[in-house]
Amino acid sequence: SQTERRERHGRPRQLSQLNYSLPYPEMGAPRSFTLLLVVVTGILQMQVFGLLSKATNGRNFLHALGRDSRLESVGRGLARHDFSDMKEHDVILSKPLGIVLEESDEDEKGVIIAKIDPNGKAATTCKLERIDICKGDKILAVNGEDCTDFEFEDVMDRIVESPNEVTLSLGRPIGNVAVCWQNGVCVSCKPGEYYGNVAAEAMFQIEYSCRSGSCGTCEQAVSVDGGGVRYVRPCSTKVPKGPSLIVVLPTDRYG
């Protein structure tokens, strides 16, 4: 009886506090409610099994669930740069530059390019003229004034005080490869990095499916040092050693 349940449990529990997984009327859930739970559970199980049958393997299960099929970084960020041995080159940009600067880590003085805005002047100019500016490059001089060991505020002051056109002297570790993507963002990286990681650093989105290199969904066309076109699969292909410039080209090979 209601009185006995009050004495046994202290006070009646609210419906939201009941353990729905126990389909016994004496626990407080009415029979009709228990039946409804059984029906709903059965429907959900059928939907899950249906999704599993659509997935060709375990790696595709999240894709079948409708997760965003964009290639994420395949494991980690890029390896840190060693500027002890680097080559220098100049670029000329008009303001606003469309780049984000930050100080190097504690072991390295100076300022590096931490980000290139895909909609900014540097990326737009790169798409038109292929200027040599990369995420990861170090600012060595602004309009000829040495800034190799400058702090962030000092480098920014030199850029702000510059005329509309700014000449940046940039340093890039010898052996690094400049990988330029279709959004105009180029990334300086060491050989051996996965193209997928480099694409993530460039904020360039790539469609993927298997992540193992077998399906070809993520395949991209590249030109290495101005040579002929070859195809790579960013989820499993690494940046090669030797070239200085790799340009990722539009492709509809699997479109």
Side-chain angles (χ1 to χ4, degrees), residues 23-24 54 59 62 93 96 153 178:
Y24 300 109
K54 292 179 182 178
R59 284 187 298 270
L62 288 180
L93 287 172
E153 290 81 5

Side-chain angles (χ1 to χ4, degrees), residues 57-75:
N57 54 51
R59 284 187 298 270
N60 285 339
F61 180 54
L62 288 180
H63 179 66
L65 286 174
R67 292 287 296 275
D68 183 22
S69 58
R70 296 286 184 178
L71 180 68
E72 299 171 355
S73 184
V74 292

